[in-house]
Amino acid sequence: MSNGSKTAGPHRALPGRREPLDRITAVIRNRASQAVYVMAGPGLGKTSLTDGIVERLSDELNVLQMHGSSALSNVPFGVLTPYTADLTAEESISPVAVLRSMWTYFEKLKTVNGAPVLLVVDDAHYLDEGSAGVVADLISAGWATVVAAARPRPGLPRPLDQLWYDGLAERVDLRLLNREQIEEVLAHVLDGTVPAATVDAVWSASGGNPRILDALLHDAAEAGVLSKRNGIWILLGPLPSDGDRIGSVVAKEHLRRPQDEQEALKLVALAGPVSRKAIEDISGAAVVRSLLEQQVVVEHPSIPAELSLWNVLLAQTIRNTISVSRSLQLLEKTRPHLPDTLLHGEGRTRSVEWALECGLRIPDAALIEASREALDRFRNTSARMIASKVQDPALIPLAQAIQARALFNDGYYLEAASLLDGCWEALLNHADGPAVLLLRAFAHQANGQSLAGLAEEVMAVTGVAGTPQWPLTLMALLRSGGELDAAGLAAEVGTAAGSAVDGATGLPLHAMGGALLAHALTAAGRADEGVEAALMAASELPAIEGSLFFFPELVLGRLVSAYLAMGEWETAERELNNYASAHSPGHAVFNGSLQILRGYSLLRQGRMERAYQVLLPAVEALRLNDPLQLFRFGASLGFYVAARLGDTAQAQRLERDCRDAVAGAPAHDLLAAAHCAAAAEYLARDGKGLASLHTLVTAAEAAGRTGTLLELLAMCWELGDPSVIPMVQNVARTVDGRWAGAMLTLAAGWEVGDGDALMDTAAALEEAGFVNLAREAYARASTLLEQAGERRRSRQAVAQREKCDHELGERFREGRFIAAAPAVHLTRREQDIVGLAVQGYTDREIAQKLMVSVRTVEGHLYRTYVKLGVRSREELESALPK
């Protein structure tokens, strides 16, 4: 592979297969069994595993390799020819003579180094009966240890299989790689950060099959789909199904099958999900049963039962190999068995796609239905292709809107806006009218256009007689939401419902208005009401399911933001996880936006390193696709965290991103500006960033937004400015939620200046889950106690503060109040133990040198880790006082 990969493919070092490799080599080394059978279907890594065994044991044993072959499967002892070269023609077909020849060969090997013999047999299912019998005799006699790799179907020849039944051989079954193993493979193959979204996409596309995974990675790199951006591997589009490697893998496997199975697989690939009965009627029940047993085809528990290939990408690849003429023949063959009554959902959509691929004409109403079904499943290319075939002038505007949403999903906002400009007026009286108008507004905003110009266009249209008034209300709603005027927005939401002519337009307006109101209320410090508004908007979603606008994701974002404002971290995370599990098709489109919210949550909790790990890939994802217009906000969060953690290069790059980005969603502009100002202060420490924050605090924008204002004041405080503490107290009293309550508690305790009381405050904050605030309270307490001469208590506060650092996953020291805390001192014993640990001595070796117990060494090291805020020996040296 190119683009910074570390090796040619995932098989070479067996990432993802370390456990079976370790297990098998341990069995061989310990002589626990005379034979190990590795059983796995095609592409699951049998050969790479046996190669790994050979590589690992070749210096310890006399390793011989043998490869079964379909060409030799009917030739008696054919695969053993290299070891029977000295036999006569008559002897070469005698099992006894062949066995003696093998024994002689092994004995000669042993005379060189005295090491035992390891015979590794790949594709052992192809061994003829005679060869299998000889190998079984070698195992029984103990002349060699054997590792035999084979497919479960047809399985090992009877003589070898019998040894397993007799308990003389162990069996290891290779399974599909799970997500964790796929992540291990990618970390091994790719040089850089591989975010969760990329891992998920590769895991889903490969199905955990190592051979397919290998082919996919090569094809994706060759096509430029898998690309390294700013050190992060992201997918620029769907993984290719038409690459050379994946085509070769599929063709090789496909051609090995009997002709009747090949034909059945083509039918399922072209039509699937498709009625099982239909395929059984065409190909025979025995063929279908065989494919199901081999797990090449899977059955869906629907009524009637449906079949599809086990892997969507394989289905696409097989379809790519079928000519149009042959595809048409198969379509005509299946039609008598697939009446329209059996087709629904994805199967119906695939039926329409198949007909269009064959050049057949489909009624326009069916095209609209199929394209919407494809859009619901985020099959954007299919949705665009199907909708583009609509010819009825009355349906063309809706078809264009469907195409526009598909383009929007893929991040082509300019093209989407252009299509919507030509169709939105024609759809004002359509049930999808509000969704289309909203989509148009978001597409134009993504291209940097303000809502004001769009609102003027709508005003001009609504002046025409007979035109509904709700579009004007909707634009006013959007503009009010942008200004975050909670009082005015509540009135606008009520007006929206009254201006809607029916439920078809009223429900979308309610959902949109509720989402905007939720954000306005949250910013105004009324997050509990914001949660209620978002939940009310969510209650409208089932009735507008399948809309051309992304109401679920918009409402989710507002709901999560409200929970975060209240300090309900776990509830916010649960909402994000629920969406991911229930909306997996759309997860790729909205993943970057949702990860920004997750990173924002971690940031507010003070978990800076974890936030950084989430935010950097999320920002890269939003460069490609930013449906909720969070790029500038996300980049500002990344800039802020990078600056706090001291990653100057990344911080400067993200600062440029913030400066150059399109304005983004108005609701996030103030927070984005604040995080940029704070980040600049962390980088320069010249007071200018802090001054900019103070300007934002007193700006007209912040008036009435006490929830946002409290966040800005918290940033000032974190930068070491205690002058804002009285303001924090005044504002926190007016803001809903646990977080505001925790800030008020901290500010009140800070002002009192009682070290012992602050220790109690810190413990309470820690118990409530506000570990970062507890850390600040412990830091302040340590200073006060030190000044009061209570050094023992001060050291306790330092240790507790360091414990909070450890829990938050921090290695860096940020915030002037922490820097002002008493220096950490190691005892003489701790210094001795740490000094030896840094030199590389183990706990036991340190204990022997210092004549103490291992438990004592472990205890001192743990306390030192806590004091220094590190988590491993590797971090000790850099953290030691100079």
Side-chain angles (χ1 to χ4, degrees):
M1 287 177 64
S2 57
N3 271 338
S5 60
K6 293 188 283 191
T7 183
H11 296 326
R12 181 169 298 176
L14 286 174
R17 293 301 189 203
R18 300 192 189 282
E19 190 277 330
L21 176 61
D22 291 343
R23 175 183 167 188
I24 293 170
T25 52
V27 167
I28 295 170
R29 283 171 173 158
N30 298 332
R31 304 291 193 270
S33 180
Q34 203 65 30
V36 180
Y37 298 157
V38 179
M39 309 301 291
L44 293 187
K46 298 186 303 297
T47 300
S48 59
L49 182 58
T50 55
D51 287 347
I53 293 168
V54 170
E55 182 179 352
R56 186 175 286 190
L57 296 176
S58 57
D59 292 336
E60 306 173 31
L61 304 172
N62 288 303
V63 180
L64 300 176
Q65 289 184 270
M66 182 188 303
H67 296 273
S69 165
S70 57
L72 294 175
S73 60
N74 294 319
V75 178
F77 309 109
V79 74
L80 303 179
T81 301
Y83 311 105
T84 60
D86 295 335
L87 297 181
T88 64
E90 183 178 348
E91 290 174 330
S92 65
I93 59 174
S94 167
V96 175
V98 170
L99 187 61
R100 286 175 178 170
S101 180
M102 295 280 290
W103 179 80
T104 302
Y105 191 96
F106 291 172
E107 288 302 304
K108 287 180 180 178
L109 281 179
K110 292 178 182 179
T111 58
V112 176
N113 55 15
V117 173
L118 172 65
L119 178 62
V120 179
V121 186
D122 197 11
D123 286 340
H125 50 278
Y126 285 131
L127 291 181
D128 62 276
E129 195 79 6
S131 297
V134 169
V135 173
D137 289 339
L138 292 173
I139 296 170
S140 300
W143 293 348
T145 300
V146 173
V147 174
R151 294 185 183 182
R153 288 174 56 92
L156 288 165
R158 185 186 55 78
L160 292 175
D161 215 19
Q162 187 61 47
L163 292 181
W164 180 65
Y165 281 112
D166 294 340
L168 298 178
E170 287 200 23
R171 173 170 169 155
V172 175
D173 289 274
L174 297 187
R175 309 296 183 188
L176 294 170
L177 299 178
N178 59 31
R179 188 193 180 282
E180 183 180 342
Q181 291 168 326
I182 291 286
E183 190 171 14
E184 180 189 344
V185 170
L186 295 179
H188 177 81
V189 175
L190 303 176
D191 180 19
T193 300
V194 186
T198 301
V199 176
D200 290 338
V202 172
W203 181 38
S204 175
S206 68
N209 184 293
R211 185 183 296 170
I212 295 175
L213 171 65
D214 191 24
L216 272 181
L217 293 180
H218 280 90
D219 287 344
E222 288 295 321
V225 172
L226 182 61
S227 178
K228 190 178 182 182
R229 302 286 182 90
N230 297 311
I232 296 167
W233 287 92
I234 58 175
L235 292 171
L236 305 183
L239 287 161
S241 62
D242 56 355
D244 291 339
R245 290 292 187 102
I246 190 67
S248 175
V249 167
V250 172
K252 183 178 180 181
E253 177 58 28
H254 193 58
L255 292 174
R256 284 178 174 176
R257 299 189 174 280
Q259 188 64 34
D260 53 357
E261 289 189 4
Q262 290 185 35
E263 290 300 298
L265 282 176
K266 288 178 183 177
L267 289 173
V268 177
L270 287 165
V274 60
S275 162
R276 173 174 177 170
K277 183 178 185 305
I279 301 301
E280 287 179 337
D281 289 345
I282 298 169
S283 302
V287 171
V288 171
R289 188 163 53 250
S290 174
L291 293 175
L292 286 169
E293 288 174 357
Q294 298 174 61
Q295 299 181 339
V296 181
V297 165
V298 294
E299 184 174 13
H300 306 284
S302 55
I303 300 175
E306 291 183 328
L307 303 177
S308 63
L309 260 67
W310 74 274
N311 182 284
V312 173
L313 194 90
L314 289 188
Q316 295 172 343
T317 305
I318 290 176
R319 291 200 293 268
N320 292 338
T321 66
I322 303 171
S323 66
V324 174
S325 59
R326 180 58 180 148
S327 182
L328 181 58
Q329 289 176 347
L330 293 171
L331 177 60
E332 295 300 329
K333 186 176 183 179
T334 60
R335 277 192 164 177
H337 303 276
L338 284 175
D340 289 344
T341 55
L342 287 179
L343 297 172
H344 58 277
E346 189 176 2
R348 176 65 178 165
T349 302
R350 180 59 209 145
S351 173
V352 170
E353 278 183 314
W354 189 7
L356 292 176
E357 290 164 3
C358 293
L360 302 182
R361 179 78 181 96
I362 301 295
D364 287 333
L367 292 174
I368 292 292
E369 180 187 350
S371 60
R372 296 197 73 138
E373 178 72 29
L375 197 59
D376 286 346
R377 299 177 183 277
F378 288 84
R379 292 175 50 199
N380 302 314
T381 302
S382 294
R384 288 169 55 194
M385 184 273 291
I386 296 171
S388 69
K389 304 297 182 182
V390 173
Q391 298 179 9
D392 184 348
L395 292 176
I396 283 178
L398 181 55
Q400 289 176 330
I402 292 170
Q403 293 176 71
R405 174 60 199 275
L407 287 164
F408 189 95
N409 286 347
D410 285 334
Y412 298 112
Y413 303 124
L414 187 62
E415 295 86 343
S418 178
L419 271 176
L420 292 165
D421 286 344
C423 71
W424 71 273
E425 289 184 55
L427 294 170
L428 287 180
N429 290 308
H430 191 277
D432 282 302
V436 171
L437 198 58
L438 283 169
L439 191 63
R440 179 173 181 257
F442 272 70
H444 277 290
Q445 274 192 306
N447 293 315
Q449 185 173 343
S450 70
L451 285 172
L454 297 174
E456 289 178 5
E457 293 180 26
V458 173
M459 289 176 65
V461 170
T462 54
V464 179
T467 305
Q469 292 301 302
W470 65 257
L472 190 59
T473 305
L474 179 57
M475 295 308 297
L477 199 62
L478 282 176
R479 296 184 72 185
S480 297
E483 293 165 4
L484 292 174
D485 177 1
L489 188 56
E492 292 285 358
V493 173
T495 305
S499 67
V501 295
D502 56 34
T505 52
L507 291 176
L509 291 176
H510 262 295
M512 187 67 192
L516 294 176
L517 180 59
H519 201 100
L521 290 166
T522 300
R526 296 153 59 187
D528 56 349
E529 295 177 59
V531 167
E532 290 180 11
L535 291 174
M536 183 63 70
S539 70
E540 310 281 6
L541 297 179
I544 54 176
E545 187 176 359
S547 170
L548 294 182
F549 186 71
F550 39 93
F551 290 107
E553 291 74 22
L554 187 77
V555 171
L556 173 70
R558 300 309 192 252
L559 179 60
V560 168
S561 294
Y563 279 131
L564 293 181
M566 296 179 73
E568 303 291 347
W569 322 124
E570 293 180 359
T571 306
E573 181 68 19
R574 185 166 60 248
E575 291 293 341
L576 291 170
N577 290 337
N578 288 344
Y579 172 86
S581 60
H583 297 79
S584 54
H587 197 240
V589 172
F590 292 94
N591 183 64
S593 303
L594 301 185
Q595 290 298 97
I596 289 294
L597 293 174
R598 185 170 274 116
Y600 181 40
S601 172
L602 292 167
L603 184 157
R604 294 198 60 171
Q605 295 174 59
R607 302 181 186 279
M608 294 298 159
E609 289 189 28
R610 287 181 57 200
Y612 202 30
Q613 294 168 358
V614 171
L615 287 169
L616 282 187
V619 169
E620 295 307 316
L622 292 187
R623 291 184 199 280
L624 301 174
N625 197 347
D626 185 17
L628 296 180
Q629 298 170 33
L630 293 178
F631 177 77
R632 185 167 181 269
F633 178 56
S636 73
L637 298 180
F639 176 27
Y640 176 81
V641 178
R644 283 191 66 162
L645 296 181
D647 191 343
T648 304
Q650 286 280 26
Q652 291 173 342
R653 179 180 65 79
L654 289 163
E655 182 181 21
R656 291 192 296 271
D657 286 336
C658 294
R659 189 170 55 246
D660 299 340
V662 173
H668 299 291
D669 279 351
L670 182 57
L671 275 176
H675 282 95
C676 286
E681 181 64 26
Y682 278 114
L683 280 185
R685 290 293 185 181
D686 56 4
K688 294 180 180 178
L690 186 57
S692 296
L693 259 180
H694 278 283
T695 300
L696 291 173
V697 166
T698 57
E701 286 180 279
R705 306 189 199 179
T706 53
T708 304
L709 180 59
L710 188 58
E711 284 193 66
L712 270 58
L713 292 171
M715 291 184 210
C716 293
W717 193 0
E718 287 172 348
L719 281 164
D721 179 9
S723 70
V724 300
I725 295 177
M727 285 187 68
V728 168
Q729 293 186 69
N730 292 333
V731 174
R733 289 191 182 99
T734 67
V735 175
D736 294 334
R738 295 173 63 248
W739 179 72
M743 288 295 295
L744 180 59
T745 299
L746 177 61
W750 198 288
E751 287 285 271
V752 170
D754 184 327
D756 288 320
L758 262 176
M759 288 288 283
D760 293 337
T761 296
L765 289 171
E766 189 177 3
E767 178 68 22
F770 298 99
V771 180
N772 57 328
L773 301 186
R775 176 183 60 187
E776 315 313 342
Y778 283 127
R780 172 70 170 163
S782 69
T783 301
L784 294 172
L785 292 168
E786 179 77 11
Q787 291 171 351
E790 298 185 38
R791 293 186 175 181
R792 184 184 65 80
R793 288 281 284 160
S794 176
R795 288 195 296 272
Q796 288 177 349
V798 170
Q800 290 298 109
R801 187 205 75 203
E802 297 288 357
K803 175 175 170 286
C804 290
D805 278 341
H806 186 76
E807 183 176 344
L808 293 170
E810 301 263 18
R811 289 177 298 170
F812 300 88
R813 295 292 175 269
E814 72 280 352
R816 293 177 183 172
F817 39 78
I818 290 183
V824 175
H825 297 288
L826 301 181
T827 65
R828 180 61 181 270
R829 176 65 77 191
E830 287 169 347
Q831 291 177 24
D832 292 340
I833 290 175
V834 169
L836 292 171
V838 168
Q839 294 177 49
Y841 289 97
T842 66
D843 290 357
R844 186 169 297 280
E845 290 170 340
I846 295 172
Q848 291 172 348
K849 280 184 172 292
L850 299 179
M851 292 183 291
V852 296
S853 70
V854 174
R855 186 180 296 274
T856 297
V857 172
E858 292 172 346
H860 279 300
L861 279 176
Y862 174 76
R863 285 188 288 276
T864 304
Y865 290 170
V866 173
K867 285 184 179 183
L868 297 176
V870 300
R871 289 167 287 181
S872 66
R873 286 176 181 246
E874 289 73 22
E875 297 172 10
L876 267 178
E877 186 170 7
S878 61
L880 287 174
K882 304 300 182 187

